[in-house]
Amino acid sequence: MSKAMTKSKVERPIKPDEEMETSDDDYIDPKMEKYFKDTKDKIQEKLSLNGKQNKKVIKQEDEDDDFEDISDFEEEEEEDDDEEEMDEGESSEEEAEENSDGDKNEEGEEIDVDERKKLTLKTINNWSRKLAEGKPIKIVNEVAKALKSALLNVIPNRKADSSYRVDGSEMFNAVIRLCIRDFFPCLLRILNLGSVKSDADKKLKLASSGENWKKLKIPVRSYLDDMLALASNLNEPEVLNAILRHIRLLINFYLCFPKTLKLLIKLLIQIWSQNDEKSRLIAFVCLHKIVANTHEKNQNFIFKNLYLSFARNSKFTSINTLPLINFMQRSLIEIYALNPKMAYEHVFVFIRQLGIHLRNAMNLKKKESYQAVYNWQFVHSLVLWSKLLSAQVKTSQGVDEYLHQLIYPLTQIIIGTIKLIPTPRYYPLRFHCVNALITLSNSTDVFIPIIPFILEVFDITDFNKKHATISVKQLNFSFMLKLNKQQLQDKAFKDVLIDIIYDSLILYLQHQSCDIAFPELVLPLIIRIKEFLKKCKNTSYCKVMKGLLDKIQENCKFIEDRRNKATFNLKDKKQVDFWTEKTKEAGTPLINWYSRYKTLREREILMEISNKDYISQNNVPLIERPSNEQREEERKEFGELFVNLEDDSDTESLDFVPKKKTEQEDVSEIESEDQFSDAGQEEEDEDQDSE
């Protein structure tokens, strides 16, 4: 089209008026002057050759050439612009087509933009058959790539190179099933490890000691990273448990990669402290396996982070969280038992931190410093370390000298916690600490004077004072640290307090009942109980404490009789220990009574729980109203009582609207109310003065 335009411009006739008025310079733009240099030279050559007579013809031709050059330049610019617009349009159309093709291919089956292969069930079945036979190293690489591709659809914002496209949940489940079922046995067969454990020291064989480890190192590392990523992004407990069981088999492979192992340890500690019971248990087994077979550096990391996660997740205690807290305490004790020397270092540091908090509270005497001690984290930590020392100080291999040194500082911290605020409001916390001391003393055979902290309750609490309220709900000190004013004035408070005193005393004394100095040990206790029986006017409380006093006196008589028959010198420690063992084998009255009492107590607790469940399951009882026929029969039988009522009347139809009162009656009632309020205030003042 541009050429046609140029021809029309060239063939256009020139008028004589235009020849006189126009010149060469009129058609030349300064910016385009460089395009016309050649044409001017040509014009001068032609003028010199043809002379003046041909001047007009040459001038017309030059003008035509000028028009052609300008039109050619404009044509080139238009063509360039058109080409750029066409290129931009084509590129945008190509991008749109690529995007549309990509969208279609994601839903399609054959072609994909990134040229990934679509994974099918036939391919997975073929891999499964090859993994079960021989040493297919190439198939191991392909399975690792398939797992990486499968995780792209599950884990958000995951960037990784993938060779396969896994479409749908069915294919994803098939890939995971292949990995869990067939991948691990194939790895053992290729590496020629045989069994995972070695016969010499019963430790795990590292995968790096296998034959073809160099060929499998890269795909195995990718596989371990992907399994770790999958476990960290799962929410369903059953699927997570299956993956954790598979990870437990791969521990000897994780031990070959320190960075990946550290990430695994962090994930296991998180699951151990936060997930459901089964996941916690499997995570604990994995951690136990790692600690038993890893370097001290990893053990140090695990010991520290386990306690910190335990402290973070023990801020609150209820009937639902207490079993999980107890599980964490028991599992911590088992893991710390694998390396007693390192356990001593960590326990020493953590007990020292508890002592610093207690010292600050005793010196500063502020609310914030008290709260740093009187909280569930502090109490659970004391209970944890008392259980750990009681379990590991005295074992079948002997007494651990390092951990035995920590009994004294821990005991002093527990006693200081009891004495910090010795008020009735913190009785639950007091008995938590008392139980920790009893556990520590009975397990380590270290004498701790616990009885004074129990008898102190008799001096602080007045059991003769009448209670202000009676509530159906019973108090349970196991889930409490302090009591409010309403609970202190309730009848259930003193009932529970007497039961806890009885339980704590008999638990402590049954272990000390075999000691040769038992009569001298319980002499202050006997005197104090007798004083309580004289002062207390509540028969139920006196009955409980009188039964305990009889058992203590019976045990004292039993020990005195056996002691009178002894012929050895009391300075001979070996003979004294031998006599104590013989007495324990024979059985004391307190030990026999405690065994029966323990079974009865456990049965009572189970009955309480079952009654609560029974009440919660049953519906609220409904009140059955009598029918009209029954009402008529009753009215005929008791007709004198319903003389003033009509036959069809009922109690619901009675009008109970009060009558209007006169002003004098209102004034008299106000005066009488004022008198009652003044009398009540005087009675309260008298009670306060008497107290």
Side-chain angles (χ1 to χ4, degrees):
M1 183 176 180
S2 60
K3 292 182 179 180
M5 291 175 65
T6 53
K7 288 181 180 180
S8 63
K9 288 180 181 180
V10 172
E11 295 175 357
R12 182 175 60 87
I14 300 173
K15 297 180 181 181
D17 296 335
E18 292 179 358
E19 294 178 5
M20 299 298 293
E21 294 176 359
T22 57
S23 64
D24 294 339
D25 296 331
D26 294 335
Y27 295 98
I28 300 173
D29 189 22
K31 296 180 180 179
M32 303 180 183
E33 188 176 1
K34 60 182 180 179
Y35 296 101
F36 297 96
K37 288 181 180 180
D38 296 335
T39 57
K40 288 181 179 180
D41 296 334
K42 292 178 181 179
I43 290 169
Q44 290 178 359
E45 291 177 357
K46 290 178 181 180
L47 287 173
S48 60
L49 293 172
N50 297 328
K52 295 180 180 180
Q53 54 183 358
N54 297 329
K55 183 176 181 180
K56 292 182 180 180
V57 179
I58 295 170
K59 187 175 182 179
Q60 184 177 356
E61 291 177 358
D62 292 337
E63 288 174 356
D64 293 338
D65 292 337
D66 293 339
F67 277 112
E68 288 179 357
D69 294 333
I70 294 171
S71 63
D72 291 337
F73 175 76
E74 291 176 353
E75 179 183 355
E76 290 176 0
E77 285 189 338
E78 290 176 358
E79 288 178 356
D80 293 336
D81 294 337
D82 294 335
E83 288 177 359
E84 290 178 358
E85 291 176 358
M86 291 291 292
D87 293 336
E88 291 176 358
E90 289 176 359
S91 62
S92 61
E93 289 177 359
E94 288 176 359
E95 290 176 359
E97 289 176 358
E98 288 176 359
N99 294 330
S100 62
D101 291 340
D103 296 336
K104 291 179 181 178
N105 290 332
E106 288 178 357
E107 298 176 356
E109 297 180 352
E110 297 179 356
I111 303 172
D112 198 355
V113 177
D114 53 3
E115 297 180 356
R116 293 185 300 172
K117 297 179 182 178
K118 182 183 177 182
L119 198 61
T120 60
L121 290 175
K122 183 178 180 181
T123 305
I124 292 176
N125 294 330
N126 187 19
W127 287 349
S128 178
R129 188 178 65 257
K130 290 182 179 179
L131 287 175
E133 301 173 356
K135 298 181 179 181
I137 298 177
K138 292 183 179 180
I139 302 300
V140 170
N141 293 327
E142 297 300 323
V143 172
K145 293 177 182 179
L147 177 62
K148 187 179 292 294
S149 302
L151 295 183
L152 293 177
N153 300 329
V154 178
I155 302 175
N157 299 326
R158 180 176 173 83
K159 296 180 180 179
D161 296 333
S162 59
S163 302
Y164 296 95
R165 188 178 77 245
V166 180
D167 296 335
S169 59
E170 184 179 359
M171 290 302 304
F172 176 80
N173 294 333
V175 173
I176 300 301
R177 194 183 302 112
L178 174 68
C179 295
I180 294 176
R181 184 183 59 189
D182 301 327
F183 195 77
F184 177 70
C186 181
L187 289 179
L188 294 181
R189 189 170 59 256
I190 293 173
L191 295 173
N192 198 15
L193 292 177
S195 62
V196 179
K197 289 186 178 181
S198 60
D199 299 332
D201 51 359
K202 294 183 180 181
K203 287 189 175 182
L204 291 176
K205 291 181 181 179
L206 294 179
S208 57
S209 61
E211 293 180 355
N212 299 312
W213 173 246
K214 292 183 179 180
K215 298 179 181 179
L216 292 177
K217 185 176 181 180
I218 295 175
V220 166
R221 183 168 188 173
S222 174
Y223 180 81
L224 297 178
D225 292 337
D226 293 335
M227 274 294 167
L228 189 60
L230 178 61
S232 60
N233 286 274
L234 287 175
N235 295 324
E236 296 183 3
E238 295 180 358
V239 181
L240 178 61
N241 295 340
I243 298 299
L244 288 176
R245 292 190 186 96
H246 183 60
I247 289 175
R248 182 177 62 85
L249 299 175
L250 298 171
I251 294 298
N252 58 333
F253 291 88
Y254 277 101
L255 293 174
C256 300
F257 305 101
K259 293 183 179 179
T260 309
L261 178 63
K262 196 168 185 179
L263 295 175
L264 175 63
I265 291 170
K266 290 180 179 179
L267 176 63
L268 292 175
I269 292 174
Q270 181 183 356
I271 296 172
W272 171 80
S273 61
Q274 295 179 3
N275 288 57
D276 61 334
E277 294 181 3
K278 290 185 179 179
S279 301
R280 285 170 179 254
L281 184 59
I282 300 172
F284 161 69
V285 173
C286 294
L287 288 170
H288 190 279
K289 199 172 182 180
I290 293 172
V291 173
N293 296 277
T294 190
H295 193 264
E296 290 185 357
K297 184 178 180 180
N298 293 325
Q299 291 179 353
N300 189 10
F301 180 78
I302 293 173
F303 283 11
K304 180 181 178 181
N305 286 275
L306 277 177
Y307 174 71
L308 294 178
S309 60
F310 163 76
R312 282 193 296 267
N313 291 277
S314 60
K315 292 181 179 180
F316 307 102
T317 303
S318 63
I319 192 171
N320 297 322
T321 59
L322 186 60
L324 301 178
I325 293 172
N326 292 332
F327 166 75
M328 287 192 288
Q329 289 177 348
R330 293 193 299 270
S331 56
L332 265 171
I333 292 169
E334 289 190 24
I335 289 180
Y336 274 53
L338 297 175
N339 193 343
K341 291 183 179 180
M342 185 173 289
Y344 165 78
E345 297 175 0
H346 286 271
V347 175
F348 175 83
V349 172
F350 295 138
I351 290 177
R352 183 175 177 273
Q353 289 179 352
L354 299 176
I356 291 171
H357 287 297
L358 179 62
R359 183 187 63 187
N360 294 335
M362 296 174 68
N363 294 335
L364 298 176
K365 295 181 179 180
K366 294 182 180 180
K367 184 178 180 180
E368 296 178 355
S369 59
Y370 287 147
Q371 289 178 350
V373 176
Y374 277 32
N375 58 69
W376 277 117
Q377 288 178 314
F378 194 91
V379 173
H380 283 310
S381 297
L382 293 177
V383 174
L384 169 65
W385 302 132
S386 62
K387 289 181 178 179
L388 186 141
L389 294 180
S390 61
Q392 297 185 17
V393 167
K394 191 176 181 180
T395 59
S396 59
Q397 299 177 357
V399 178
D400 192 334
E401 297 180 357
Y402 294 101
L403 293 175
H404 192 274
Q405 298 174 2
L406 299 176
I407 295 176
Y408 178 76
L410 179 62
T411 304
Q412 293 298 319
I413 291 172
I414 296 174
I415 293 173
T417 305
I418 295 173
K419 293 181 177 181
L420 186 61
I421 306 178
T423 58
R425 187 181 183 187
Y426 290 99
Y427 275 168
L429 186 142
R430 171 187 287 264
F431 283 101
H432 284 304
C433 295
V434 166
N435 291 331
L437 290 175
I438 292 172
T439 303
L440 190 60
S441 177
N442 293 349
S443 301
T444 59
D445 292 334
V446 176
F447 175 73
I448 301 174
I450 303 172
I451 295 176
F453 304 112
I454 301 174
L455 296 178
E456 192 178 1
V457 177
F458 291 133
D459 300 329
I460 300 173
T461 308
D462 185 8
F463 287 90
N464 292 323
K465 187 177 179 180
K466 293 183 179 181
H467 49 269
T469 58
I470 299 175
S471 62
V472 179
K473 187 177 180 180
Q474 295 182 354
L475 297 177
N476 193 345
F477 283 7
S478 300
F479 314 114
M480 303 172 68
L481 281 183
K482 61 182 180 180
L483 303 167
N484 53 33
K485 292 182 179 180
Q486 184 178 359
Q487 291 172 340
L488 291 172
Q489 296 175 358
D490 195 85
K491 182 180 181 296
F493 164 66
K494 294 178 182 178
D495 295 342
V496 173
L497 195 59
I498 287 293
D499 292 339
I500 291 177
I501 291 172
Y502 185 89
D503 294 343
S504 301
L505 286 174
I506 197 170
L507 178 62
Y508 177 69
L509 293 175
Q510 62 88 19
H511 184 77
Q512 302 292 335
S513 62
C514 304
D515 197 275
I516 198 170
F518 180 79
E520 290 77 16
L521 175 66
V522 298
L523 181 60
L525 176 61
I526 294 173
I527 296 171
R528 189 66 188 85
I529 292 176
K530 289 181 178 180
E531 291 179 358
F532 173 79
L533 294 175
K534 289 180 181 179
K535 293 180 181 179
C536 184
K537 298 178 182 179
N538 192 318
T539 56
S540 61
Y541 300 159
C542 292
K543 185 178 179 181
V544 174
M545 299 309 297
K546 183 67 169 59
L548 179 62
L549 179 62
D550 294 340
K551 296 298 178 184
I552 293 172
Q553 289 178 342
E554 183 182 356
N555 198 88
C556 288
K557 186 177 180 181
F558 175 79
I559 294 296
E560 288 176 354
D561 293 341
R562 288 183 61 87
R563 196 165 60 179
N564 292 331
K565 297 177 183 179
T567 57
F568 57 86
N569 190 358
L570 294 177
K571 294 182 180 179
D572 191 353
K573 188 177 180 181
K574 292 183 179 180
Q575 291 293 332
V576 172
D577 294 338
F578 180 76
W579 184 88
T580 303
E581 291 294 331
K582 289 293 182 181
T583 305
K584 190 174 183 179
E585 292 176 0
T588 61
L590 271 178
I591 291 176
N592 297 331
W593 166 246
Y594 177 74
S595 61
R596 294 195 298 271
Y597 172 76
K598 186 178 180 181
T599 55
L600 292 173
R601 186 63 176 167
E602 290 176 353
R603 191 179 301 171
E604 288 179 1
I605 294 171
L606 292 175
M607 287 294 293
E608 289 178 1
I609 296 172
S610 62
N611 288 333
K612 289 179 181 179
D613 296 338
Y614 178 77
I615 292 170
S616 62
Q617 290 175 1
N618 290 335
N619 296 325
V620 178
L622 299 175
I623 299 174
E624 295 182 358
R625 294 182 179 274
S627 62
N628 294 329
E629 296 178 357
Q630 293 176 350
R631 289 175 182 174
E632 291 177 0
E633 292 177 359
E634 289 177 354
R635 285 174 182 176
K636 290 178 182 179
E637 189 175 354
F638 305 100
E640 297 179 357
L641 298 176
F642 300 96
V643 173
N644 297 327
L645 298 176
E646 297 179 358
D647 294 337
D648 297 333
S649 65
D650 194 9
T651 55
E652 296 178 355
S653 63
L654 294 176
D655 191 7
F656 291 97
V657 178
K659 297 179 180 180
K660 294 183 179 180
K661 299 178 181 179
T662 60
E663 294 180 356
Q664 294 179 357
E665 291 177 350
D666 292 338
V667 172
S668 62
E669 284 186 2
I670 292 169
E671 290 178 355
S672 62
E673 289 177 358
D674 293 336
Q675 290 176 0
F676 279 116
S677 62
D678 294 338
Q681 185 66 31
E682 290 176 0
E683 289 179 359
E684 291 179 359
D685 296 337
E686 288 177 1
D687 293 337
Q688 291 179 358
D689 295 334
S690 62
E691 291 178 359

